[in-house]
Amino acid sequence: MPGYENVISNCGIARGFRPSAQYASCMTSAPTSPLTDPWPKSPVLQAAYRSRAAAADLAPLPRAVKDDALLAMADALEVRTKEIVEANAADEERAREAGTSDAIVDRLTLTPERVRAIASDVRDVIALPDPVGEVVRGSTLPNGIDLRQVRVPLGVVGIIYEARPNVTVDAAALCLKSGNAVLLRGSSSASHSNAALVKVLRDAVGGAGLPADAVQLVPGESRESVRELMRARGLVDVLIPRGGASLIRTVVEESTVPVIETGTGNCHVYVDADADLDMAVEILVNSKAQRPSVCNAAETLLVHQDIAPRFLPRALEALAEAGVTVHADERVMALAEGSKATVVPAVIEDWETEYLSYDIAAGVVDSLEAAVSHIRLWSSGHTEAIVTSSQQAARRFTQLVDSTTVAVNASTRFTDGGQFGFGAEIGISTQKLHARGPMALPELTSTKYIVTGDGHTR
Amino acid sequence: MPGYENVISNCGIARGFRPSAQYASCMTSAPTSPLTDPWPKSPVLQAAYRSRAAAADLAPLPRAVKDDALLAMADALEVRTKEIVEANAADEERAREAGTSDAIVDRLTLTPERVRAIASDVRDVIALPDPVGEVVRGSTLPNGIDLRQVRVPLGVVGIIYEARPNVTVDAAALCLKSGNAVLLRGSSSASHSNAALVKVLRDAVGGAGLPADAVQLVPGESRESVRELMRARGLVDVLIPRGGASLIRTVVEESTVPVIETGTGNCHVYVDADADLDMAVEILVNSKAQRPSVCNAAETLLVHQDIAPRFLPRALEALAEAGVTVHADERVMALAEGSKATVVPAVIEDWETEYLSYDIAAGVVDSLEAAVSHIRLWSSGHTEAIVTSSQQAARRFTQLVDSTTVAVNASTRFTDGGQFGFGAEIGISTQKLHARGPMALPELTSTKYIVTGDGHTR
């Protein structure tokens, strides 16, 4: 059993402190605890250890250094567009051969214009303030100690995501800006694109003098490699799944690493007895049909019984014009008779379905409280909107509804980091712990307390 | 398959909205989703559903209503001290019969004075501000929408804890103040005490007009009942284990409910080359010996090689006077020769041991950076102190050490909700997500966004 001297000499401490080299050499023999953690054989865990070392280097960096690296990333994406688009073409061809739908192939495809747009998004991140170092609270305690709570990076952020290759760059840029190392696990359908993008990003980060391991792909494409990532508690500080409901459920259930649940949106629009009819129709159609494939699109319409006879005929017509099929309860069905609407009878599953398509469930409720109960029962807790001219109703609805976002006389589509003015978004958390709603740079940080005294004891 | 009308009539909505009754009746047939959640047979899950219903009632309550219930709780504890002390006597007797150590029996014991002190702690919670409703950020967006992020309760908080019955009341009071329902799982050694305390608290809460289910014990004493609690994702919003390292590890590893890891403290005192010797000795002895059984007590001393020959002889003598055994590396051992210190050779396990006793590991390091590397390798990330007269060293140490709290020229013992001026503490989080360091009322909340427009659409 080696003693203390061996440990520190293994850590390269005698050679002076260069964070990256020192920590990396330390890890070769003793990753975090020589007692419990021999250098792992698994490539996934090796990558995670390299991420931890990179994270230790990134944490104390000032904004200017990180912004320089982000600028290098943006420039490199533009200069090396050709190799990115070529790699993407291989993914696209494979997808077409596999009979993938045009919509999905389109999401996967990178053109020179799209690469330029991605680079431009990185430049936007440069312009955002650095959350690290922000003093969240501070005071002088009665005994004279100065207490400060300051933002620090989370450390290693794992992102598990589906087809869109732009997420690769977005996530890397936001994590680097907030001082975190990122471990990226994209879908195999985008593997060539992701490999090319990460190569470009790593070269840029390394060229700017920061550890290239700040940005890594999780090695391997097997399910087992994802499972290892999900079990790397202590190495990976948080996992953020971005994608469909089944991906998110798997990560939430199987991970021992803390997870931030994102994105499932069974959003409701409730039209109150006192709603302005024009406004209600506009908000409904916008919430449902402006972009039906996203998580903040509305999936259920609830209408107060007192306004239903006046509102529903107009609403159903407007929805029909927007190409929306209405899954209607009996009372909506009755009011739809003779209208031009496309209406089918609702079954119970409709109340919990996130269609992500030109479909909406619709029901009539007896009261605002009935709407709230319905939402409590069925909502995924993402975004619910009320349209009302009653101050009391607006106040009651916002108090009683327990979702990330409650909108009063506004479309559900505003729940978005960009719309909220956060300048960026790494996902929309639908859980209550750590972050709730659109997550931007501050949500990629933790805090630490700094206690400063003059020899204070208890 | 029932349609929408059946669901809302099952929910008692037609009978008007009375939060508790309505939600409870709703749950009888359809707890959160009739598709997936029949009313469970398990008493643990039934209790969790009742907690959810209570949480829905508590969430919108204003401070005055919650404070009245807290006052009723404090009064009831004092009025009914006799039945609490009698129930506690049964636990105490059982513990003595089982040969439990005097120290543990003492922690378990409730005297009339201790019950009064517990009631007094509840009164202190009344005086604290209500975190719920606090506007965390707010702005008017460029399109004129008003955006506010407000604090809301987490919902249902599960606490799994060991022998001390005062935690039962502390946790209930802090959860009620922050609008959360609490599900308490104490140790079986305190079962009579906890049952009596919870009965008193529930009577008081119910008497004040709030749902008694705001405070519940997890039914059953089996391991299986804990496991059910840990798997009640979607019903329980967060689990906070309070107790020894093995309890915390079990909860962290087996829970699918989000967990806040608390309390393991392998804290370090680093004495820098430029330290004031008197101050260093005082901080060291206070950090180690003022109360060795708690998580913010120091467990390892690291000394810069330049100051070691002057500092260690005095430090070792002071530690010996305080009754502390030093587990010393070779360089400390050499400097201890001829001193009155109680010194034994350190083995590698000493660097990661949380002694919680009159023991400390001690080593000499070549530099501040070597101390940081040692801490990165071995610390549990709770609290690390540096004693130094160098501004540069203080700054570098606080930047590089990644723990919940970094103390400069102050004892590690200050990491505490009471000491930090938070007025309360539900635990000390050693994780990075959601809360880090001492957790008080704001850490028992989440947030929601309220978006207010005039018919805004995208």
Side-chain angles (χ1 to χ4, degrees):
Chain A
M1 185 78 76
Y4 176 65
E5 293 302 320
N6 297 67
V7 174
I8 61 164
S9 69
N10 281 348
C11 291
I13 286 165
R15 286 175 279 125
F17 188 74
R18 285 162 301 130
S20 185
Q22 175 276 128
Y23 200 63
S25 82
C26 174
M27 290 192 312
T28 309
S29 56
T32 54
S33 159
L35 293 183
T36 52
D37 292 320
W39 182 238
K41 292 212 179 76
S42 144
V44 175
L45 295 184
Q46 288 177 7
Y49 277 115
R50 281 193 298 266
S51 292
R52 276 212 92 63
D57 288 356
L58 294 178
L61 293 181
R63 170 175 178 171
V65 175
K66 293 184 285 189
D67 283 352
D68 284 348
L70 288 166
L71 191 60
M73 281 165 59
D75 288 347
L77 288 167
E78 288 176 350
V79 169
R80 293 168 68 177
T81 297
K82 188 158 169 281
E83 73 186 82
I84 294 165
V85 171
E86 280 171 8
N88 179 256
D91 287 331
E92 200 188 320
E93 191 184 325
R94 191 171 53 175
R96 290 204 189 280
E97 278 169 11
T100 308
S101 74
D102 283 354
I104 306 250
V105 171
D106 182 62
R107 284 173 55 173
L108 178 63
T109 300
L110 291 175
T111 61
E113 292 72 38
R114 287 187 179 180
V115 175
R116 254 198 306 280
I118 290 171
S120 164
D121 287 346
V122 174
R123 292 184 204 280
D124 290 345
V125 172
I126 297 172
L128 295 174
D130 184 350
V132 174
E134 185 197 344
V135 179
V136 177
R137 45 181 169 182
S139 63
T140 301
L141 303 180
N143 60 7
I145 279 182
D146 284 323
L147 178 70
R148 278 182 300 147
Q149 184 184 19
V150 298
R151 284 201 189 280
V152 296
L154 285 169
V156 178
V157 176
I159 317 261
I160 303 180
Y161 56 106
E162 289 173 345
R164 302 168 179 268
N166 64 308
V167 173
T168 307
V169 181
D170 276 2
L174 292 172
C175 286
L176 185 68
K177 179 83 187 197
S178 51
N180 294 292
V182 70
L183 258 176
L184 296 158
R185 168 68 187 210
S187 71
S188 57
S189 65
S191 61
H192 295 97
S193 315
N194 289 336
L197 287 166
V198 167
K199 186 169 189 317
V200 169
L201 297 177
R202 287 173 58 90
D203 288 351
V205 170
L210 301 195
D213 286 335
V215 182
Q216 285 190 87
L217 281 181
V218 175
E221 297 204 352
S222 65
R223 282 178 171 276
E224 186 50 35
S225 66
V226 189
R227 202 163 294 127
E228 284 187 86
L229 179 66
M230 295 193 294
R231 299 259 152 196
R233 191 177 177 103
L235 287 174
V236 178
D237 291 289
V238 59
L239 275 184
I240 304 175
R242 285 184 63 171
S246 98
L247 166 70
I248 290 163
R249 195 164 48 240
T250 303
V251 176
V252 161
E253 282 172 9
E254 295 190 12
S255 187
T256 58
V257 172
V259 173
I260 297 180
E261 212 174 330
T262 65
T264 312
N266 178 14
C267 304
H268 295 69
V269 172
Y270 166 61
V271 178
D272 188 48
D274 277 334
D276 177 290
L277 290 178
D278 291 338
M279 187 192 288
V281 170
E282 271 183 49
I283 286 174
L284 169 65
V285 173
N286 185 262
S287 296
K288 175 68 254 180
Q290 196 247 347
R291 196 170 167 204
S293 64
V294 293
C295 62
N296 58 17
E299 307 291 9
T300 297
L301 163 67
L302 300 173
V303 183
H304 192 288
Q305 59 181 358
D306 293 351
I307 203 173
R310 281 175 297 143
F311 173 69
L312 273 171
R314 288 184 53 184
L316 293 173
E317 193 175 317
L319 287 170
E321 274 168 25
V324 176
T325 300
V326 177
H327 302 250
D329 79 346
E330 288 171 21
R331 291 156 87 181
V332 172
M333 202 59 113
L335 288 163
E337 260 179 49
S339 83
K340 284 179 289 186
T342 316
V343 182
V344 298
V347 292
I348 197 165
E349 286 85 353
D350 282 305
W351 308 117
E352 70 171 11
T353 299
E354 187 186 14
Y355 299 107
L356 300 173
S357 63
Y358 286 93
D359 291 86
I360 194 165
V364 171
V365 291
D366 291 348
S367 63
L368 180 146
E369 289 74 12
V372 169
S373 292
H374 181 103
I375 289 167
R376 272 217 188 117
L377 204 56
W378 298 106
S379 173
S380 63
H382 190 298
T383 299
E384 332 297 345
I386 181 174
V387 186
T388 187
S389 301
S390 155
Q391 165 66 10
Q392 290 91 325
R395 184 168 153 84
R396 191 153 174 77
F397 190 81
T398 51
Q399 277 180 340
L400 295 179
V401 166
D402 185 28
S403 296
T404 79
T405 306
V406 183
V408 177
N409 294 343
S411 170
T412 58
R413 293 275 293 115
F414 286 108
T415 306
D416 173 273
Q419 292 290 325
F420 279 8
F422 300 165
E425 182 181 289
I426 191 94
I428 295 179
S429 164
T430 50
Q431 68 177 31
K432 292 188 184 168
L433 234 56
H434 185 70
R436 198 176 191 209
M439 295 175 61
L441 292 169
E443 286 73 25
L444 287 172
T445 65
S446 181
T447 61
K448 73 180 168 194
Y449 288 99
I450 298 174
V451 165
T452 309
D454 300 302
H456 285 74
T457 55
R458 280 180 76 178
Chain B
M1 186 77 77
Y4 175 67
E5 293 302 319
N6 297 67
V7 173
I8 63 166
S9 70
N10 281 348
C11 290
I13 286 165
R15 287 176 278 124
F17 188 76
R18 285 162 300 130
S20 185
Q22 174 279 126
Y23 201 64
S25 82
C26 173
M27 290 193 314
T28 310
S29 57
T32 54
S33 160
L35 292 184
T36 51
D37 292 319
W39 183 237
K41 292 213 179 75
S42 144
V44 174
L45 294 184
Q46 288 177 6
Y49 276 115
R50 282 193 297 267
S51 293
R52 276 211 92 62
D57 289 355
L58 294 177
L61 294 180
R63 171 175 177 171
V65 175
K66 294 184 285 189
D67 283 353
D68 283 349
L70 289 166
L71 191 61
M73 281 166 57
D75 289 346
L77 288 167
E78 287 177 349
V79 170
R80 293 168 68 176
T81 297
K82 189 158 168 280
E83 73 185 82
I84 294 165
V85 171
E86 280 171 9
N88 179 256
D91 287 332
E92 198 188 321
E93 192 183 325
R94 191 171 53 175
R96 289 203 190 282
E97 279 168 10
T100 308
S101 75
D102 283 354
I104 305 251
V105 171
D106 182 63
R107 284 173 53 173
L108 178 63
T109 300
L110 292 175
T111 61
E113 293 70 38
R114 286 186 182 182
V115 175
R116 253 198 305 281
I118 290 171
S120 163
D121 287 345
V122 174
R123 292 183 204 281
D124 290 345
V125 172
I126 296 172
L128 295 175
D130 183 351
V132 174
E134 185 197 344
V135 179
V136 176
R137 46 181 168 179
S139 63
T140 301
L141 303 180
N143 59 7
I145 279 181
D146 284 324
L147 178 71
R148 278 183 299 147
Q149 183 184 21
V150 299
R151 283 202 189 280
V152 296
L154 285 169
V156 178
V157 177
I159 316 262
I160 303 179
Y161 56 106
E162 288 173 344
R164 301 166 181 268
N166 64 310
V167 173
T168 307
V169 182
D170 276 1
L174 292 173
C175 286
L176 186 67
K177 179 84 186 195
S178 50
N180 294 293
V182 70
L183 258 176
L184 296 158
R185 167 69 189 210
S187 72
S188 56
S189 64
S191 60
H192 295 98
S193 315
N194 288 337
L197 287 166
V198 167
K199 187 169 188 317
V200 169
L201 297 178
R202 286 173 58 89
D203 289 350
V205 170
L210 301 195
D213 286 335
V215 182
Q216 285 190 88
L217 281 181
V218 175
E221 297 204 354
S222 66
R223 281 178 173 276
E224 186 50 35
S225 66
V226 189
R227 201 162 296 126
E228 283 187 85
L229 180 66
M230 294 192 295
R231 297 260 153 196
R233 189 176 178 105
L235 288 174
V236 178
D237 292 290
V238 58
L239 275 183
I240 305 175
R242 286 184 60 170
S246 99
L247 166 69
I248 289 162
R249 194 163 48 240
T250 302
V251 176
V252 162
E253 282 173 9
E254 296 191 12
S255 188
T256 58
V257 173
V259 173
I260 297 180
E261 211 175 331
T262 65
T264 312
N266 178 15
C267 304
H268 295 70
V269 173
Y270 165 62
V271 179
D272 188 48
D274 278 333
D276 176 290
L277 289 178
D278 291 337
M279 187 192 289
V281 170
E282 272 183 50
I283 286 175
L284 169 65
V285 173
N286 185 263
S287 297
K288 175 68 252 180
Q290 196 248 347
R291 196 169 167 206
S293 64
V294 292
C295 63
N296 59 17
E299 306 292 8
T300 298
L301 164 67
L302 300 174
V303 183
H304 191 287
Q305 60 181 356
D306 293 351
I307 203 172
R310 282 174 297 142
F311 173 70
L312 273 170
R314 287 184 54 185
L316 293 172
E317 195 175 316
L319 287 170
E321 274 168 24
V324 176
T325 301
V326 177
H327 302 252
D329 79 345
E330 287 171 24
R331 291 155 88 181
V332 173
M333 203 58 116
L335 289 163
E337 260 179 50
S339 84
K340 283 180 287 184
T342 316
V343 183
V344 298
V347 292
I348 197 165
E349 286 85 353
D350 283 305
W351 307 118
E352 68 170 12
T353 299
E354 186 186 14
Y355 298 109
L356 299 172
S357 63
Y358 287 93
D359 291 86
I360 194 166
V364 172
V365 291
D366 292 347
S367 62
L368 180 145
E369 288 75 13
V372 169
S373 291
H374 180 104
I375 289 166
R376 275 220 185 112
L377 204 57
W378 298 105
S379 172
S380 63
H382 189 298
T383 299
E384 332 297 344
I386 181 173
V387 187
T388 186
S389 300
S390 155
Q391 165 65 11
Q392 290 90 328
R395 183 168 154 84
R396 193 155 174 75
F397 190 81
T398 51
Q399 278 180 340
L400 294 180
V401 167
D402 185 28
S403 296
T404 80
T405 307
V406 183
V408 178
N409 294 342
S411 170
T412 59
R413 292 276 293 115
F414 286 107
T415 306
D416 174 272
Q419 292 290 324
F420 278 8
F422 301 164
E425 183 180 289
I426 191 92
I428 295 179
S429 163
T430 50
Q431 68 178 31
K432 291 187 184 169
L433 235 53
H434 184 71
R436 198 176 190 208
M439 293 175 64
L441 291 171
E443 286 74 23
L444 287 172
T445 65
S446 181
T447 60
K448 73 179 169 197
Y449 287 99
I450 297 174
V451 164
T452 308
D454 299 302
H456 285 74
T457 55
R458 281 180 73 178

